């Protein structure tokens, strides 16, 4: 009567069995549950209901104020309990609290679902299945994982999946892009600093490693980390402890490290730009994420996934690709991998007028380029870097995802071109492009350009 009077819609049930059936059918916002009832008792009903209607708060009404019943009810997942005789005010406050909590819980769930959708790994190729297996094996352990593969293949998604499936899933996932942070700042970013520890340190800062305590730290682009910082990271990995800049206090942390790179670290070790001991420490579980061109079976599912995503985001009806258009996509080299595909699908969904996307809707899409094969011949050596080094090739800068990558890609292409024009005469080429010979040699070394590798 109290609730009815306040405008709530109330359903009642004479027994536990009947209550369960109604709860299942009506999905109520809140359940009040007596303990002593004919047939099934309240605590048993509570347990059954918990499985049926997970987010619904259940308030147990205890008859004789027995504390033990109340405690047990809370353990079994009751939201709260209330004693007879029921007081109007207490009932109403409880209803308000319970309904609020339900709303929050539902919201939380949908946030989580959205996030999961955003970081969902789509595709069913055998190569991707192998990646999934590695994720499943690595996740429950605390072992360090090194993810490598070309730009845009989904390394970050893999890192997030490992965290999500790990025992640390309720802890933080802290991402650090080592390539994006200037060298002078990276140590304070990772390990934190005390106020006044250097010019500009006006406040104390807690570093990413400390933030990631009881969770996972994701060191992205680890190949770009300076040797000095590498030494410090190695120490955290070995000792699970660190010091903030400007402090001698040792801070213990419990952090799982996942690192990613699109460089071939073994080659960086030879060049003395990456520490060998750190490499072995990181490479406990290596996961290679293959390039999209090597797992074209994933393409159709990915295209559908992105088409759905962007149709929804732009409030379009669901757009689909014709078989012809799909075939054209299959022929493309996808140097920028899934990121390139994603950007392409987004653009075409927005630009094409109809519900069906056909070859004619993608006039600027050239499919396979002869230049792609030519340029891959130019890259010396093999192993991961062979396919990830910035490659020359026409003016397809779509493959580059950062300014740095774009700059090196175009610089390399320019140099190869000029060298060819000057029949690989270094002095002459240097003169033509107006740079010291020594600089040109340095560039050749840096980009691994040689006449032999030029087919
Ligand atoms: N299997 C997949 N299913 C769905 N989306 C994917 C998949 N793989 C990658 N993506 C999407 O492609 C984009 C690039 O992925 P991600 O950032 O994980 O790549 P990356 O390997 O870290 O690239 P980079 O080396 O450039 O940092 C993201 O938008 C990601 O959501
Ligand atoms: Mg990344």
């Amino acid at each position: 009567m109290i609730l009815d009077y306040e405008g709530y819609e109330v359903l009642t049930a004479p027994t536990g069995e009947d209550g369960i059936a109604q709860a299942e059918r009506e999905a109520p916002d809140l359940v009040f549950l007596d303990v002593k009832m004919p047939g099934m008792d309240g605590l048993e009903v509570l347990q059954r209901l918990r499985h049926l209607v997970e987010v619904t708060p259940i308030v147990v009404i205890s008859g004789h104020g027995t504390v033990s019943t109340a405690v047990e009810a809370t353990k079994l997942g009751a939201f709260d309990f209330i004693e007879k005789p029921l007081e109007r005010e207490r009932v109403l406050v409880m209803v308000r609290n319970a309904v609020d909590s339900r709303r929050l819980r539902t919201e939380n769930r949908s946030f989580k679902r959205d996030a999961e959708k955003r970081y969902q790994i789509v595709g069913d190729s055998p190569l991707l299945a192998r990646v999934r297996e590695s994720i499943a094996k690595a996740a429950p352990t605390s072992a360090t994982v090194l993810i490598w593969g070309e730009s845009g293949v989904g390394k970050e998604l893999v890192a997030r999946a490992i965290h999500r499936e790990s025992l640390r899933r309720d802890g933080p996932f802290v991402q650090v892009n080592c390539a994006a942070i200037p060298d002078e700042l990276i140590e304070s970013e990772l390990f934190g600093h005390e106020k006044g520890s250097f010019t500009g340190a006006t406040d104390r800062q807690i570093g990413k490693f400390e933030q990631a305590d009881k969770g996972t730290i994701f060191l992205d682009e680890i190949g770009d980390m300076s040797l000095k910082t590498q030494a410090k990271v190695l120490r955290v990995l070995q000792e699970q402890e660190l010091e903030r800049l400007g402090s001698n206090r040792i801070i213990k942390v419990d952090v799982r490290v996942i690192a990613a790179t699109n460089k071939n670290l073994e080659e960086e070790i030879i060049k003395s730009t990456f520490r060998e001991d750190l490499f072995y420490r990181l490479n406990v579980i290596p996961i290679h994420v293959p390039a999209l061109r090597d797992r074209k079976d994933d393409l159709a599912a990915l295209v559908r996934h992105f088409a759905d995503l962007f149709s929804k985001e732009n409030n379009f009806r669901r757009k689909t690709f014709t078989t012809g258009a799909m075939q054209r996509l299959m022929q493309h080299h996808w140097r920028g991998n899934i990121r390139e595909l994603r950007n392409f699908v987004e653009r075409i969904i927005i630009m094409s007028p109809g519900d069906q996307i056909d070859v004619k809707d993608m006039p600027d899409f050239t499919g396979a380029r002869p230049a792609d094969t030519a340029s891959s011949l130019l890259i010396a050596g093999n192993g991961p870097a062979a396919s990830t080094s910035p490659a020359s090739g026409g003016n397809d800068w779509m493959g580059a995802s950062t300014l740095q990558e774009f700059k090196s890609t175009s610089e390399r292409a320019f140099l190869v071109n000029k060298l060819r024009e000057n029949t690989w005469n270094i002095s002459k080429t240097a003169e033509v492009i107006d740079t010291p010979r020594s600089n040109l040699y340095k560039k050749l070394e840096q980009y691994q350009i040689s006449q032999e590798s030029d087919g």
Side-chain angles (χ1 to χ4, degrees):
M1 279 161 64
I2 295 169
L3 293 172
D4 216 29
Y5 186 75
E6 289 291 324
Y8 293 105
E9 188 188 338
V10 182
L11 302 164
T12 57
T15 64
E17 284 88 346
D18 188 39
I20 290 171
Q22 283 202 47
E24 222 180 338
R25 205 169 49 233
E26 307 285 342
D29 296 312
L30 170 64
V31 172
F32 276 102
L33 182 63
D34 204 352
V35 177
K36 283 212 173 118
M37 294 185 290
M40 207 186 289
D41 89 335
L43 293 184
E44 200 184 335
V45 177
L46 173 63
Q47 276 169 288
R48 303 265 295 267
L49 276 178
R50 263 290 60 102
H51 293 295
L52 284 175
V53 283
E54 279 174 79
V55 287
T56 308
I58 300 170
V59 177
V60 169
I61 305 172
S62 73
H64 316 285
T66 44
V67 179
S68 60
T69 316
V71 170
E72 206 187 332
T74 322
K75 271 196 199 142
L76 292 174
F79 174 76
D80 210 341
F81 62 93
I82 187 168
E83 278 170 31
K84 286 182 197 173
L86 301 186
E87 282 170 47
R88 181 173 179 281
E89 274 315 308
R90 264 186 59 73
V91 169
L92 290 178
V93 166
M94 196 157 279
V95 169
R96 245 169 270 137
N97 288 345
V99 171
D100 276 355
S101 105
R102 179 198 151 105
R103 210 197 52 234
L104 286 179
R105 272 203 275 179
T106 316
E107 269 173 20
N108 250 335
R109 274 176 186 227
S110 82
F111 278 142
K112 260 209 165 130
R113 256 201 310 271
D114 283 356
E116 265 164 36
K117 187 123 205 221
R118 210 165 116 217
Y119 297 119
Q120 188 191 348
I121 299 179
V122 175
D124 36 32
S125 65
L127 278 177
L128 194 64
R130 290 236 298 267
V131 173
R132 284 210 178 87
E133 265 168 44
S134 305
I135 294 174
K137 278 202 193 116
T141 73
S142 257
T144 309
V145 181
L146 180 63
I147 306 167
W148 58 282
E150 287 181 22
S151 191
V153 287
K155 295 187 292 296
E156 186 185 330
L157 287 195
V158 170
R160 287 181 183 277
I162 293 171
H163 175 72
R164 203 169 52 227
E165 291 174 27
S166 76
L167 299 170
R168 297 167 177 267
R169 69 174 76 89
D170 293 324
F173 177 86
V174 176
Q175 182 170 6
V176 187
N177 186 343
C178 306
I181 304 169
D183 234 22
E184 354 31 293
L185 290 183
I186 187 140
E187 283 179 24
S188 103
E189 191 73 21
L190 288 175
F191 310 111
H193 62 246
E194 296 295 336
K195 188 172 170 173
S197 54
F198 55 88
T199 338
T202 48
D203 278 306
R204 159 192 285 178
Q205 180 176 314
I206 305 292
K208 299 282 188 192
F209 270 101
E210 265 184 86
Q211 287 172 27
D213 195 30
K214 306 271 179 319
T216 305
I217 192 166
F218 175 41
L219 301 174
D220 204 359
E221 318 281 2
I222 192 141
D224 293 273
M225 195 179 264
S226 73
L227 285 166
K228 187 161 153 252
T229 314
Q230 288 175 29
K232 292 205 169 182
V233 167
L234 181 64
R235 173 175 161 202
V236 186
L237 280 173
Q238 277 165 347
E239 325 279 340
Q240 293 273 312
E241 62 183 37
L242 55 88
E243 283 156 33
R244 293 190 195 134
L245 267 64
S247 147
N248 296 323
R249 192 160 62 91
I250 288 176
I251 297 167
K252 284 261 162 214
V253 285
D254 167 19
V255 175
R256 195 231 189 123
V257 176
I258 301 179
T261 182
N262 54 21
K263 291 192 172 168
N264 180 343
L265 293 185
E266 276 156 324
E267 275 176 15
E268 301 297 314
I269 293 171
I270 296 169
K271 285 195 264 165
S272 301
T273 52
F274 204 84
R275 289 180 67 117
E276 191 169 8
D277 46 7
L278 177 59
F279 173 74
Y280 288 117
R281 197 69 194 68
L282 291 172
N283 202 33
V284 180
I285 303 182
I287 298 184
H288 173 235
V289 189
L292 180 56
R293 80 187 73 88
D294 296 330
R295 46 174 166 122
K296 291 239 167 107
D297 312 359
D298 287 340
L299 207 112
L302 282 165
V303 168
R304 247 180 280 124
H305 173 72
F306 293 135
D308 279 359
L309 185 79
F310 293 117
S311 303
K312 215 188 248 159
E313 225 178 86
N314 295 294
N315 291 317
F316 294 144
R317 256 189 318 209
R318 208 167 136 249
K319 297 193 181 187
T320 52
F321 284 70
T322 63
T323 321
M326 210 53 138
Q327 266 165 5
R328 179 65 74 82
L329 296 183
M330 287 287 237
Q331 286 157 11
H332 188 62
H333 192 65
W334 298 113
R335 188 181 293 138
N337 290 296
I338 300 172
R339 180 173 297 114
E340 182 187 355
L341 177 68
R342 185 188 153 104
N343 293 344
F344 169 79
V345 174
E346 177 173 22
R347 185 173 39 144
I348 205 92
I349 290 280
I350 293 171
M351 302 304 276
S352 69
D355 286 352
Q356 275 229 333
I357 295 154
D358 197 7
V359 182
K360 66 176 176 354
D361 297 311
M362 16 197 243
D364 56 341
F365 189 80
T366 44
R369 290 155 187 266
D372 287 333
T373 31
S375 67
S376 43
L377 286 175
L378 288 172
I379 302 164
N382 46 24
S387 44
T388 57
S389 306
S392 75
N395 51 3
D396 178 12
W397 47 266
M398 289 288 286
S401 51
T402 61
L403 180 60
Q404 193 49 51
E405 243 177 75
F406 171 66
K407 277 189 193 158
S408 24
T409 308
S410 22
E411 187 171 53
R412 189 183 196 283
F414 173 76
L415 292 174
V416 170
N417 219 327
K418 288 293 171 194
L419 281 161
R420 281 187 195 147
E421 274 173 27
N422 295 287
T423 57
W424 292 87
N425 181 326
I426 308 279
S427 310
K428 201 166 149 213
T429 311
E431 201 185 304
V432 171
I433 64 176
D434 193 23
T435 191
R437 235 169 44 143
S438 59
N439 187 43
L440 181 54
Y441 273 116
K442 226 172 68 201
K443 296 282 178 196
L444 298 189
E445 162 91 68
Q446 182 189 343
Y447 294 128
Q448 302 185 10
I449 300 171
S450 68
Q451 188 175 7
E452 288 75 51
S453 56
D454 191 25

